[in-house]
Amino acid sequence: MSVILFTAPPLPHYIVSGKTPMPIGSKHPNRQNIGIFDLLIVTKGCLYVGEDEHDYEVAQGYALLLRPDKHHYAYSGCLEETTHYWLHFNILGEWTAIGEETYRSERDTAFEEETQRPVRLSAFSTTSYTVALPQFVKLAQPQKLTEVIDQLIMMDQSTHLSGIRLKQQALFQEVILLLSASLRAGTPSPQSVCAERAASYLRENYKESFSAKRLGESINFHPVYIARCMQRMFGCPPAVYQLQVRIEQAKLLLLQTNLTVERIAEEVGFNQPAYFTSSFTKIEGLSPRKYRQRFTWTRE
């Protein structure tokens, strides 16, 4: 496995992202020297993608970073229904790729040398630093990463509005941090495994009424332990997490459809439109109707 190294500043630049469901037999596009990095994150099923002479099985919870200067191809169609996120970005400065073993050896050597060297910096100096991204990795926090990309996708609908592109670039740096952290991470802790499983279940079943007992039975953890793990990993208990997922889905429907607010409330699992409106307003700071008006405004 290769590691992509780049020096910052400048920081990588976000271009566009999306989420693609793929039926059995479908394949990743065959492309050559596309000039941008293509990050693939599988959330269901498996992608069979090659880069030059290296073939990868990108299963659920894994990420593959395709280089801008290589030939990418599918060496097999999907054997099951597969869903993946994709994200295109560019590194505006210089970058290089080295083997993982070489990277870890050089990193350890550099750390030893750095700790023995005195640091002398002026008050106004700008210090560059190296960032390492794994080319193929099991993600340490796949749910967090896809949540950030969901926000980026949502923002893509409103790039005509002032300040949105800057917010996207700032948010994209969190993708870089999470991807880089996966390279450093070892075996995931039991707490993170529990939280990730719970989050996956809640995202897949967000329309259903919340039940701590049903959640615990579905992922084989005690509800109290699940709540503790999710609070630690996501900063909120399961019921609040599910509510936030419903609001995320509602925002997409507000931007991408002409459904009424009442119908959207029903579509995302709310029995009472008034409760949907109050919950949405509390989380987003404005009502669903005002959110739609604000983010679908176009210039004359």
Side-chain angles (χ1 to χ4, degrees):
M1 194 270 288
S2 296
V3 175
I4 307 298
L5 298 176
F6 66 91
T7 300
L11 291 169
H13 185 81
Y14 170 78
I15 301 173
V16 69
S17 56
K19 182 180 182 182
T20 304
M22 302 178 70
I24 295 174
S26 56
K27 297 181 177 181
H28 187 268
N30 186 325
R31 297 182 293 202
Q32 178 96 24
N33 299 331
I34 61 175
I36 56 173
F37 285 93
D38 185 5
L39 175 63
L40 306 177
I41 300 164
V42 174
T43 56
K44 177 184 178 182
C46 186
L47 285 178
Y48 302 90
V49 181
E51 182 178 85
D52 282 356
E53 298 179 356
H54 299 281
D55 293 344
Y56 301 92
E57 290 187 15
V58 193
Q60 179 178 337
Y62 280 78
L64 174 64
L65 182 57
L66 297 173
R67 290 171 51 171
D69 57 343
K70 296 288 186 178
H71 175 213
H72 312 142
Y73 55 89
Y75 63 89
S76 173
C78 295
L79 303 179
E80 57 186 312
E81 291 186 353
T82 298
T83 302
H84 76 282
Y85 285 80
W86 54 270
L87 187 150
H88 294 167
F89 69 94
N90 242 332
I91 294 177
L92 304 180
E94 294 184 358
W95 61 271
T96 188
I98 63 174
E100 183 177 1
E101 290 185 5
T102 302
Y103 160 72
R104 295 190 184 281
S105 175
E106 292 182 352
R107 180 196 61 180
D108 294 342
T109 301
F111 177 78
E112 290 178 6
E113 294 176 350
E114 193 68 29
T115 56
Q116 297 173 9
R117 184 186 308 135
V119 179
R120 296 185 180 88
L121 296 176
S122 72
F124 305 105
S125 63
T126 299
T127 306
S128 61
Y129 51 93
T130 300
V131 180
L133 301 179
Q135 187 165 17
F136 181 59
V137 71
K138 181 173 178 59
L139 296 166
Q141 299 182 60
Q143 201 68 46
K144 277 193 174 183
L145 183 54
T146 54
E147 285 179 10
V148 175
I149 299 178
D150 275 330
Q151 294 180 58
L152 289 168
I153 294 171
M154 199 176 303
M155 288 182 180
D156 282 336
Q157 309 294 321
S158 308
T159 53
H160 59 285
L161 298 176
S162 175
I164 290 295
R165 291 188 183 276
L166 180 58
K167 290 179 180 179
Q168 276 188 312
Q169 298 305 327
L171 185 60
F172 171 59
Q173 303 313 314
E174 190 169 345
V175 172
I176 296 297
L177 288 171
L178 289 168
L179 191 58
S180 181
S182 294
L183 179 61
R184 301 189 302 270
T187 303
S189 67
Q191 293 87 351
S192 65
V193 170
C194 174
E196 288 285 347
R197 288 183 183 175
S200 294
Y201 175 86
L202 292 170
R203 294 187 76 85
E204 290 174 6
N205 301 278
Y206 68 89
K207 294 183 181 182
E208 298 181 5
S209 59
F210 176 77
S211 167
K213 180 180 178 181
R214 186 166 60 244
L215 171 61
E217 291 173 348
S218 298
I219 66 172
N220 296 317
F221 286 102
H222 193 281
V224 174
Y225 182 68
I226 294 172
R228 188 184 308 132
C229 293
M230 290 202 72
Q231 184 69 46
R232 179 176 179 180
M233 291 293 297
F234 296 100
C236 63
V240 175
Y241 183 89
Q242 184 187 51
L243 176 62
Q244 292 173 345
V245 173
R246 288 179 172 181
I247 299 302
E248 286 179 16
Q249 297 301 317
K251 287 159 67 177
L252 288 173
L253 293 175
L254 286 166
L255 295 177
Q256 298 176 359
T257 74
N258 293 319
L259 295 175
T260 64
V261 170
E262 290 74 18
R263 178 64 187 281
I264 290 173
E266 181 181 346
E267 285 291 318
V268 299
F270 286 88
N271 294 324
Q272 299 294 330
Y275 178 55
F276 164 66
T277 298
S278 63
S279 299
F280 190 101
T281 303
K282 182 177 180 180
I283 291 175
E284 295 299 319
L286 68 171
S287 70
R289 287 186 173 83
K290 289 184 178 179
Y291 180 90
R292 172 177 271 170
Q293 293 170 357
R294 176 179 177 183
F295 289 101
T296 57
W297 174 85
T298 56
R299 296 182 184 275
E300 297 292 337

